[in-house]
Amino acid sequence: MTDNELPFAFGAPPLRGRLRSTPEDFFVEEILGYEADGAGEHAFLLVEKRGANTEWAARELAKFAGIQPMNVGYAGMKDRHAVTRQVFTVHLPGKADPDWSALPSEDMKILSAGRHSRKIKRGALRGNRFVLVLREVEGDRAAAEERLAAIASRGVPNYFGEQRFGLGGNNVAQAKQMFGGRRVDRDKRSILLSAARSHIFNGVLAERVGAGQWDAPMDGEIWSLEGSRSWFGPEAFNDTLAERLARFDIHPSGPLWGDGEPPSAGAVGELERAVAARDEDLAKGLAGARMDQERRALRLLPRDLTWRWLDDGALEVSFGLPAGAYATTVLREVAATL
């Protein structure tokens, strides 16, 4: 199911417009939740890059420092067609920092440098802050503002974004080929496993959005804790769970498919198994790869969501998201983008 085929929580988006007219129209700032500790073998660099992906930046930093790319750490992959700020660590045991201001790149600059005792690990971040600008806007402005207000109070379905599935969504087809016996290298294997899990998750979430139950409890629900990968259940819905759901402390969850049976029961379990059965080759492949059965929240609440109309009629939208969430899943409920 492509991004355009996934059902909307609030109906068709009221606007159309162009996103990423320039990299500056898609600004991302990483929120680590911690600072450099001030000492150690790793340079701790806040980097701003324009129109460049994270792996390229890591290779350029390694080349400049005279080390192997494997000795450069970063917490998350950032969009290429954007201006992004994120932290990299560069392992320099027994070495002084090079002159980072002399980094020979027009697409990347070092905003600050310190020292840190550890290499940054993948996933070791709290989230990201986005500032998106939609240009050549057409549609109903009043309806768009009502939609944005609804998103601020209720959230959006927590779909995996199209970036997860590769060019033209081809990663799912490649995952099926891999599970059918095609050999792939280790890095590609990880990408294809993630795409397969994401495809099944989006299928489950799409069914619940279509039924109006993406942010409401169903029988046999597994609950995801806000800001955590932890979950619990199933257990009968009660006043305590209702209060926690209303204040976004917990969310209904969907499966990140793996080996064994999902923990859900009742109507939720039946739905999840039925969706997985539609892509039996993916589900069996993930089980054979010994992936764990894990969970992901079905609901995503953008933090500190604000918007304003610029002088040229463009719409600027700002918000924060937890790690692993996609800005495009928020914007798609407001505008169809070119």
Side-chain angles (χ1 to χ4, degrees):
M1 187 176 293
T2 67
D3 186 68
N4 290 332
E5 295 170 327
L6 294 170
F8 296 97
F10 303 98
L15 299 179
R16 289 178 58 84
R18 186 173 297 278
L19 184 62
R20 304 180 198 261
S21 295
T22 69
E24 285 76 12
D25 287 347
F26 200 104
F27 177 77
V28 188
E29 184 171 20
E30 187 175 72
I31 304 168
L32 282 183
Y34 55 90
E35 303 289 341
D37 55 27
E41 296 183 341
H42 299 266
F44 187 93
L45 308 176
L46 176 59
V47 175
E48 181 175 287
K49 52 190 177 63
R50 180 185 188 276
N53 67 39
T54 299
E55 291 180 336
W56 173 87
R59 290 194 300 270
E60 290 298 299
L61 290 171
K63 185 191 305 182
F64 184 69
I67 63 172
Q68 293 298 312
M70 65 180 294
N71 293 320
V72 176
Y74 50 86
M77 303 291 285
K78 298 293 183 289
D79 295 84
R80 176 183 178 184
H81 302 291
V83 173
T84 66
R85 290 179 182 173
Q86 69 178 120
V87 169
F88 292 81
T89 54
V90 179
H91 194 203
L92 299 170
K95 299 179 181 179
D97 281 38
D99 179 6
W100 297 114
S101 66
L103 186 70
S105 174
E106 296 181 356
D107 300 318
M108 179 169 60
K109 59 183 177 181
I110 310 300
L111 301 181
S112 66
R115 279 281 173 155
H116 198 57
S117 58
R118 300 182 305 278
K119 179 181 181 180
I120 289 182
K121 301 295 186 182
R122 294 285 188 95
L125 74 163
R126 181 175 297 169
N128 297 284
R129 182 77 190 169
F130 297 88
V131 182
L132 311 182
V133 179
L134 190 69
R135 301 192 184 276
E136 301 175 27
V137 177
E138 300 175 355
D140 188 333
R141 286 193 177 192
E145 295 201 21
E146 289 179 4
R147 179 67 54 86
L148 286 161
I151 291 171
S153 64
R154 188 175 168 187
V156 298
N158 191 22
Y159 290 122
F160 283 99
E162 59 186 5
Q163 305 97 306
R164 190 77 163 195
F165 303 104
L167 184 64
N170 195 42
N171 284 352
V172 173
Q174 290 186 52
K176 292 180 179 182
Q177 294 169 0
M178 179 180 70
F179 294 143
R182 180 181 177 184
R183 296 181 64 84
V184 299
D185 62 38
R186 182 177 179 181
D187 289 343
K188 186 66 173 178
R189 171 182 166 82
S190 177
I191 291 170
L192 298 184
L193 289 171
S194 295
R197 296 179 103 188
S198 303
H199 179 76
I200 293 174
F201 176 90
N202 275 7
V204 170
L205 180 50
E207 293 289 335
R208 293 192 59 164
V209 172
Q213 294 176 311
W214 60 278
D215 62 349
M218 291 177 61
D219 177 51
E221 196 74 71
I222 300 296
W223 297 100
S224 176
L225 292 169
E226 169 67 15
S228 169
R229 295 182 180 180
S230 299
W231 48 268
F232 66 93
E235 62 183 72
F237 194 61
N238 54 38
D239 290 345
T240 299
L241 292 179
E243 185 273 331
R244 295 180 69 184
L245 179 65
R247 63 181 169 87
F248 292 87
D249 179 52
I250 59 173
H251 310 278
S253 73
L256 297 176
W257 206 265
D259 191 20
E261 293 295 314
S264 51
V268 174
E270 291 178 9
L271 170 61
E272 293 177 356
R273 289 166 177 81
V275 171
R278 297 198 307 238
D279 285 292
E280 186 177 9
D281 46 357
L282 295 181
K284 286 186 175 180
L286 290 165
R290 296 294 186 265
M291 303 293 289
D292 292 333
Q293 285 280 355
E294 297 178 304
R295 307 296 292 187
R296 173 181 170 93
L298 297 181
R299 181 175 65 167
L300 172 66
L301 182 67
R303 298 294 182 183
D304 302 318
L305 173 62
T306 62
W307 61 90
R308 63 181 180 133
W309 297 97
L310 305 181
D311 291 341
D312 61 357
L315 175 63
E316 180 187 274
V317 184
S318 305
F319 51 87
L321 294 178
Y326 292 79
T328 50
T329 68
V330 177
L331 194 62
R332 74 184 294 272
E333 292 283 345
V334 182
T337 57
L338 304 175

